[in-house]
Amino acid sequence: MQPLKSDLFGTVWRDQERGRQFVLRDTSAARWWLAWLARRLCRREARALARLDGLPGTPRLLADDARGLRREWIEGRPMQVARPRNADYYRAARRLVAALHRRGVAHNDLAKETNWLVTPTGQPAIVDFQLALVSRRRGRLFRSLAREDLRHLLKHKRSYCPERLTARERRILARPAPVSRLWMATGKPVYTFITRR
């Protein structure tokens, strides 16, 4: 097994079985005082992946239990390594985000470039759904988070392909949703403190 990430919520491993690669999110290594939250985030990810089952550009859920989950490995380079400058990538990424939302999933963590992959064929893929919101009704909170998913994608486009931003996209970038401003002022500092310890 190859460790990919280790933090207060547990360890993420890359492994393979019968020639099939997968990612294991193991919450048993979480700090005792955060074990409940680690398990809850893992359940959120499992629920989101189950809802997205079969959607290209998202990993398939292979198994989940009280200790964690196993999901399909998607071959690709993280956005900050691949630095995609092709406008086609962002068009496809926007379609992928829209497909997530049609299935009732708001990712809620697309600001992180590590959650975006560029596959060997140049297509986008999205991973790490532990902060995702799954909703059947797609109410006000869902719509706000979905808009933030799009805005975070546009921030990446502004970093790597700014000349292709449209006037409408620039307007979206200029107006973060109230829920985003609230999160940045209250929840984000706490989350950052916990995850970086």
Side-chain angles (χ1 to χ4, degrees), residues 69-140:
L69 64 78
R70 289 197 311 165
R71 66 164 173 80
E72 175 186 34
W73 168 263
I74 297 180
E75 194 63 48
R77 293 182 298 155
M79 180 180 275
Q80 74 274 19
V81 175
R83 304 176 69 83
R85 299 186 187 282
N86 187 334
D88 290 340
Y89 175 87
Y90 296 96
R91 277 192 288 273
R94 189 165 183 163
R95 287 193 298 269
L96 177 55
V97 169
L100 259 63
H101 298 161
R102 279 195 302 274
R103 293 198 184 199
V105 177
H107 187 281
N108 201 26
D109 203 16
L110 292 181
K112 287 185 186 171
E113 293 184 11
T114 52
N115 291 341
W116 285 99
L117 299 179
V118 180
T119 70
T121 61
Q123 292 300 301
I126 298 173
V127 296
D128 193 356
F129 285 80
Q130 63 178 343
L131 295 182
L133 174 67
V134 178
S135 173
R136 288 182 182 170
R137 296 182 180 171
R138 294 191 278 183
R140 191 176 203 175

Side-chain angles (χ1 to χ4, degrees), residues 9-98:
F9 298 114
T11 307
V12 180
W13 305 88
R14 178 180 177 181
D15 203 357
Q16 66 176 11
E17 186 175 75
R18 298 186 197 130
R20 187 179 188 183
Q21 296 189 69
F22 63 89
V23 174
L24 171 65
R25 185 181 296 281
D26 182 6
T27 63
S28 65
R31 300 296 188 271
W32 65 269
W33 50 281
L34 281 175
W36 66 273
L37 181 56
R39 288 190 295 271
R40 183 166 185 207
L41 293 174
C42 202
R43 284 194 301 270
R44 285 176 75 115
E45 180 165 22
R47 189 172 172 218
L49 293 179
R51 181 70 68 93
L52 298 172
D53 188 45
L55 179 64
T58 63
R60 186 178 297 268
L61 178 66
L62 303 175
D64 71 294
D65 56 32
R67 282 189 55 196
L69 64 78
R70 289 197 311 165
R71 66 164 173 80
E72 175 186 34
W73 168 263
I74 297 180
E75 194 63 48
R77 293 182 298 155
M79 180 180 275
Q80 74 274 19
V81 175
R83 304 176 69 83
R85 299 186 187 282
N86 187 334
D88 290 340
Y89 175 87
Y90 296 96
R91 277 192 288 273
R94 189 165 183 163
R95 287 193 298 269
L96 177 55
V97 169

